[in-house]
Amino acid sequence: MTHFLAKASLAALLAICTVPATVTTAAAAGPQTNFVVEAQYHRPIRGCSPMHAVRKARDFGLRRAQITRMSPRVVVVSGRDHRGWDRMVFANVRGCPLIRR
């Protein structure tokens, strides 16, 4: 009988001690989880944005730069340089690397 009482009291003590620990952990995780979810929606991972491609083309010396064509793989920007009409082709990935001019 004493073994039964000892085991029952130990089980009751463990059950009482774990209830406050789970409540504080769940309450502490709530705001952090919401912040992470909001940050993911505000900063989507995208490829080369048209404004970034035009800005890079202007940095390379293209005047009156504008988007001519945009596909899932490339962004084509055309404009004028000191020789006449020219176009630049950027990859549609993060950072807009120049493919050809």
Side-chain angles (χ1 to χ4, degrees):
M1 186 70 167
T2 55
H3 288 293
F4 175 74
L5 289 174
K7 289 181 183 180
S9 63
L10 181 63
L13 180 65
L14 286 175
I16 291 172
C17 291
T18 57
V19 169
T22 57
V23 170
T24 58
T25 305
Q32 293 173 352
T33 305
N34 289 341
F35 176 75
V36 171
V37 170
E38 288 175 7
Q40 288 175 353
Y41 286 116
H42 290 296
R43 291 186 173 176
I45 298 173
R46 296 184 348 199
C48 178
S49 72
M51 292 302 294
H52 191 210
V54 168
R55 200 173 318 127
K56 281 188 82 166
R58 287 181 182 155
D59 289 342
F60 278 114
L62 215 58
R63 293 179 306 229
R64 294 194 303 184
Q66 61 183 2
I67 301 290
T68 306
R69 185 171 61 102
M70 189 165 180
S71 71
R73 292 182 180 230
V74 296
V75 177
V76 180
V77 179
S78 63
R80 292 187 60 98
D81 62 356
H82 64 281
R83 293 176 290 175
W85 289 104
D86 198 8
R87 69 180 186 142
M88 300 178 86
V89 181
F90 296 99
N92 196 359
V93 294
R94 187 176 182 191
C96 297
L98 181 66
I99 296 175
R100 66 179 166 261
R101 184 169 179 163

